[in-house]
């Protein structure tokens, strides 16, 4: 059988070469995530560094390996499936090897910052293989955001007697047969270790662009860092009442006073300079975001391993890569509190108590003083969550049960927002939402939807949202949510997707940027991998399970390479 393994490996090499040939034939334009985005020409991948050598190698393998494989499958048809499985495994191993070599080069770059030598060969191959798929990223995003509409559409088809809905009915039965608390997930045997490693990874990514070999002058990394430097500089050196006044009424129209006061406290209680505090905010925020996501997913699924994988995906999510590039620090802080709020909300739904309700109300209200626009989104998610129960599920009894406590939270928060806007004269969530609606939303944007998507994905966010792997996984993750029997966790995530989808067509590229940034792709994409594991475990085929392990490892490596490549290109 060793000969069969060698044949399968050579077949995988042929498949890999065919894939490269197809990509080269398509003449895809190549950009890197960097600001401003440099045009690097047309993608042309050369495995050996010499196109003529690549051509000769392709012909030799094609005319020697494929006839042997064809003859063998015709003579012994029972070997066909085994050969296909072995070819898939070999192809995954080839891609994994390429990713490991590229990732090692990015990780060691600060300590070995050489340019254009043989060590970058696999980096260039990996870059082009990854970015060959980026032109379809806006399309993948649209499918991911709107695929939830399939469920109401199939309901309509069911009423009209169409047979197509039966396929979705079978999928719905399978999705609901899966117990998420019992699924074996690769690489998550020690979830607490994986959680700690994920938190540590975010610290490395946040510090990476400030390595002295890469950034000897210690220049600011992140578009908005200079604003935090200016705001914090305007508070330091003043008596606390004056600093408080500046945070509430001057800096950023008083939109994020509590967050600026936290920075002010760090500055006044440590020996760090204003510049250091502004630059290294993400070193604290990023691991806290990973922890908050872990707690939310663990509470929602009851599965430590599921939560640990979600934590890992958070470590190389848009929140981190775009967070480094754009320095959306207050936004990230608001997301941390938002995930903690949702975690407590899940606990509260299992065990109603006034103490938890009070904490929930305070926690959500705190976000108004951190980032009021994110607060508006969480308020909308809660309202949509209630509408899912009432309209989608038509569960009036449960709606009546939930409307009282959630209504209390919403009413108190609206009152706090009114106090902030009208009494304190600072920017609140409703006012901030109105300003966004008047400047970034409109019916005229509907005709520019594709242009806005292109500008956001390609230019405004400098290509950092170009991650086709995460977007593909998210499509299936949302589809699973849509057809799964609704529990509190799936309702919240589905509400988040719906809240993103409704304003999207009427938003300009600036609003698109924040809508994409806040959507939990890292959780939705993990959803797909978990259900893939559930599907293959039913097969009880060790080769299939091994393939799933390899695929999961490849996806992790792809995203790790994406993360390191992204943060280094912010310098």
């Amino acid at each position: 059988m060793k000969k069969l393994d060698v044949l399968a490996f050579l077949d995988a090499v042929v498949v890999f070469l065919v894939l490269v040939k197809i990509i080269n034939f398509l003449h895809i334009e190549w950009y890197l995530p960097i600001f401003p985005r440099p045009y690097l020409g047309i993608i042309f991948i050369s495995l050996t560094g010499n196109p003529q050598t690549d051509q000769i190698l392709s012909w030799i393998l094609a005319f020697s390996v494929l006839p042997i494989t064809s003859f063998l499958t015709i003579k012994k048809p029972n070997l066909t499936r085994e050969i296909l499985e072995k070819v898939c495994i070999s192809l995954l191993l080839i891609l994994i090897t390429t990713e490991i070599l590229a990732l090692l080069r990015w990780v060691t770059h600060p300590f070995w910052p050489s340019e254009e030598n043989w060590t970058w060969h696999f980096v260039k191959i990996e870059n082009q293989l990854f970015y060959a798929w980026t032109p379809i990223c806006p399309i993948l995003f649209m499918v991911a955001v709107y695929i939830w509409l399939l469920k109401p559409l199939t309901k309509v088809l069911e009423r009209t007697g169409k047979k197509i809905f039966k396929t979705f009915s079978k999928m719905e039965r399978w999705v609901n047969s899966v117990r998420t608390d019992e699924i074996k997930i690769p690489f998550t045997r020690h979830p607490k270790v994986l959680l700690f490693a994920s938190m540590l990874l975010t610290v490395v990514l946040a510090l990476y662009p400030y390595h002295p070999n890469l950034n000897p002058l210690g220049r600011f990394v992140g578009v908005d860092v200079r604003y935090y430097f200016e705001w914090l500089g305007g508070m330091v050196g003043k008596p606390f009442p004056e600093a408080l006044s500046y945070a509430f009424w001057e800096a950023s129209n008083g939109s994020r006073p509590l967050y600026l006061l936290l920075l002010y406290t760090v500055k006044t209680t440590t020996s760090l300079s204003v510049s250091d505090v502004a630059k290294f905010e993400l070193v604290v925020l990023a691991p806290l975001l990973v922890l908050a996501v872990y707690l939310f997913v663990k509470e929602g699924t009851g599965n430590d391993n599921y939560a640990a994988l979600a934590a890992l995906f958070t470590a190389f999510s848009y929140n981190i890569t775009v967070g480094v590039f754009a320095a959306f620090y207050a936004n990230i802080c608001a997301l941390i509190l938002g995930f903690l709020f949702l975690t407590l909300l899940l606990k509260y739904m299992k065990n109603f108590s006034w103490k938890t309700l009070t904490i929930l109300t305070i926690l959500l209200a705190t976000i108004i003083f951190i980032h009021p626009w994110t607060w508006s989104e969480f308020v909308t998610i809660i309202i949509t969550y209630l509408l899912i129960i009432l309209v989608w599920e038509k569960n009036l009894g449960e709606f009546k049960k939930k409307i009282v406590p959630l209504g209390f939270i919403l009413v108190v928060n609206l009152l706090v927002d009114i106090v902030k806007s009208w009494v304190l004269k600072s920017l609140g969530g409703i006012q901030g939402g109105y300003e966004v609606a008047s400047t970034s939303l409109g019916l005229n944007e509907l005709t520019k939807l594709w242009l806005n998507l292109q500008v956001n994905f390609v230019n405004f966010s400098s290509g950092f949202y170009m991650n086709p792997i995460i977007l593909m996984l998210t499509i299936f993750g949302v589809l699973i949510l849509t057809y799964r029997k609704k529990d509190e966790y799936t309702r919240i995530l589905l509400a988040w997707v719906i809240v993103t989808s409704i304003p999207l067509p009427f938003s300009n590229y600036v609003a698109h940027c924040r809508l994409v940034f806040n959507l939990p792709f890292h959780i939705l994409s993990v959803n797909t991998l978990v259900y893939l594991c559930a599907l293959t475990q039913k097969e009880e085929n060790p080769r299939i399970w091994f393939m799933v392990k390899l695929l999961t490892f490849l996806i992790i490596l792809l995203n790790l390479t994406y993360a390191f490549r992204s943060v280094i290109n912010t310098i």
Side-chain angles (χ1 to χ4, degrees), residues 380-519:
T380 314
I381 288 169
I382 295 170
I383 294 170
T384 308
Y385 163 87
L386 289 169
L387 289 174
I388 287 172
I389 297 172
L390 181 63
V391 179
W392 188 306
E393 301 174 32
K394 296 181 173 57
N395 192 337
L396 185 60
E398 187 160 359
F399 175 79
K400 289 179 179 178
K401 183 181 177 183
K402 302 288 175 60
I403 187 64
V404 175
L406 292 180
F408 172 80
I409 293 171
L410 292 174
V411 168
V412 172
N413 269 261
L414 288 172
L415 290 173
V416 172
D417 187 63
I418 290 169
V419 169
K420 187 189 179 193
S421 299
W422 289 15
V423 178
L424 299 178
K425 303 297 182 183
S426 297
L427 184 69
I430 297 173
Q431 184 185 349
Y434 174 77
E435 290 183 4
V436 169
S438 59
T439 58
S440 299
L441 300 178
L443 288 174
N444 61 311
E445 299 296 341
L446 189 59
T447 60
K448 298 185 290 184
L449 175 59
W450 179 249
L451 176 63
N452 284 325
L453 284 167
Q454 287 280 25
V455 171
N456 178 38
F457 274 85
V458 178
N459 301 108
F460 188 69
S461 300
S462 291
F464 287 90
Y465 286 133
M466 295 287 202
N467 189 333
I469 307 302
I470 288 297
L471 292 170
M472 288 178 194
L473 291 173
T474 300
I475 290 172
F476 295 102
V478 176
L479 190 63
I480 289 165
L481 277 182
T482 304
Y483 282 93
R484 185 164 177 80
K485 185 178 179 182
K486 302 298 177 285
D487 55 22
E488 310 302 344
Y489 177 72
T490 55
R491 284 171 185 154
I492 288 170
L493 288 176
L494 185 59
W496 205 327
V497 174
I498 293 171
V499 165
T500 303
S501 68
I502 292 172
L504 186 72
F506 312 103
S507 309
N508 65 13
Y509 60 87
V510 179
H512 279 197
C513 180
R514 296 289 184 160
L515 288 169
V516 178
F517 184 79
N518 285 347
L519 190 64

Side-chain angles (χ1 to χ4, degrees), residues 180-194:
T180 56
D181 57 339
E182 296 178 351
I183 299 172
K184 283 172 57 182
I185 304 171
F187 312 111
T188 59
R189 182 176 294 180
H190 304 288
K192 297 295 189 297
V193 175
L194 185 57

